[in-house]
Amino acid sequence: MRQRRLQLMQSLFDEYIEMYASRDDKLTARFSDNFSGYAGSSDILVTSKDEWIKITRQDFAQVPERIRIEMLDLSLQDLTEDIIVITAFFHIHLPIPDSILSQETARLVLVFQQESKDWKIVHSGISIPYGIAKKGEIYPMTSLEERNRELESIIQARTYELAEANNRLEKLSNTDGLTNIGNRRLFDQMLQKEWSRGQRSNTPVSLIMLDIDHFKLFNDFYGHLAGDDCLKMLANGLSQFGRRAGELVARYGGEEFVILLPNTDLQTALDTAKQVHQLIQSLAIPHIKTNLGIVTVSVGVACLLPSNKHNALELVHQADTALYLAKSTGRNCIRSAPPNGAQI
Ligand SMILES: Nc1nc2c(ncn2[C@@H]2O[C@H](COP(=O)(O)OP(=O)(O)OP(=O)(O)O)[C@@H](O)[C@H]2O)c(=O)[nH]1
């Protein structure tokens, strides 16, 4: 007998919870004409069945999707032959992310009374700390959505900050620490990019490579810090070149610099090399160990039409060979790579 009563109580509750969770309007048919209760959002006692039906439908309309009930505790009380009291504690998980309701414990008291053959709900009292529910709301959807929007804007701001930090990091990893111009890493990247572009558009890529003459002697005589300043002054002067899209002035290493000139033929590259050479002379940085008494550079120039016959490193190799030629034929001059081997 007792077992059957327990089963009855459990099934009444299960049926109620299922209808409530699935937002099933049939639930309203279970309300007794003698209904009284209070809703969690208002704490106002409702003494009319019709009013309670209105509140229930408002609840279902506000959140039409299924809600998830996570049961925490349940007490079934067999009060009299025809009165059952059920007390339940649960979390309500609304179908929106991060619902704060799911962290609150809902406390529900349901009183069922047997009327004729049916068990009807004569009292329903739910209590959830619904302080943030706006007027006319069963659930504090407006506040939850506001909270979500706030979270989204925080995430957006953080994403932007992260992208900015990444940009700064990218710039830092592509910049030479001493001279503040592009470094070897950036040059390698740009070379590959411009080489591929040149291959696609069938346009030549030129490279100017320059190296300070007798820089070891400069350091030995003026000191390493003065050597650093000299490198900075040179980089600063060089940075007025390579301003067109795809062009790049970079420190290749030590006292060696490169100027990448995409879509540039050999003659134009040699003209630019001449301007670079003159600019460095015009800086007139004292260097008593050279013939002119100022810092000079040796320059190698190469130009290739990118094709499958050779890769981008061939261009570097040719510019390097031309630079070696300039060094070995007296320094402070410009040489271009074979086959032309032009002398200026
Ligand atoms: N001050 C300073 N010196 C550097 C830096 N990087 C490389 N060097 C120096 O540059 C010098 C290069 O010397 P070498 O390769 O012998 O060439 P060089 O004396 O310029 O002679 P040539 O190139 O044959 O004209 C070395 O003494 C390096 O220490 C740097 O960042 N700062």
Side-chain angles (χ1 to χ4, degrees), residues 30 129 157 199 201 228 257 276 279 330:
R30 306 306 300 252
Q199 195 161 0
S201 58
D228 284 356
F257 296 90
V276 169
L279 171 107

Side-chain angles (χ1 to χ4, degrees), residues 22-119:
S22 62
R23 327 265 71 196
D24 187 344
D25 193 65
K26 285 202 284 292
L27 181 64
T28 57
R30 306 306 300 252
F31 301 147
S32 160
D33 290 339
N34 284 327
F35 181 88
S36 82
Y38 55 88
S41 58
S42 63
D43 275 348
I44 294 170
L45 188 65
V46 179
T47 51
S48 127
K49 171 187 173 180
D50 290 342
E51 186 59 23
W52 193 252
I53 290 175
K54 223 172 96 189
I55 289 173
T56 304
R57 288 190 175 142
Q58 191 189 345
D59 173 343
F60 289 2
Q62 198 190 355
V63 183
E65 302 92 340
R66 187 182 184 89
I67 62 173
R68 187 165 70 81
I69 305 285
E70 180 191 348
M71 287 306 296
L72 302 172
D73 202 3
L74 183 66
S75 152
L76 307 168
Q77 261 180 294
D78 193 1
L79 225 57
T80 66
E81 193 58 27
D82 59 355
I83 293 182
I84 287 167
V85 177
I86 298 174
T87 312
F89 293 86
F90 48 84
H91 289 315
I92 294 177
H93 296 271
L94 294 179
I96 64 167
D98 199 28
S99 157
I100 59 165
L101 278 193
S102 56
Q103 290 142 33
E104 307 286 1
T105 306
R107 301 180 288 272
L108 172 69
V109 178
L110 280 177
V111 181
F112 286 90
Q113 184 170 29
Q114 192 169 24
E115 295 172 1
S116 311
K117 283 209 168 107
D118 286 338
W119 285 90

Side-chain angles (χ1 to χ4, degrees), residues 3 5 8 13-14 27 30 86 90 93 104 112 122 137 166-168 226 229 236 249 284 320 330:
Q3 190 59 27
R5 270 303 266 203
L8 168 74
F13 181 72
D14 289 348
L27 181 64
R30 306 306 300 252
I86 298 174
F90 48 84
H93 296 271
E104 307 286 1
F112 286 90
V122 285
E137 284 188 336
N166 275 341
N167 280 346
R168 281 198 297 274
D229 286 342
N236 189 39
V249 173
D320 199 37

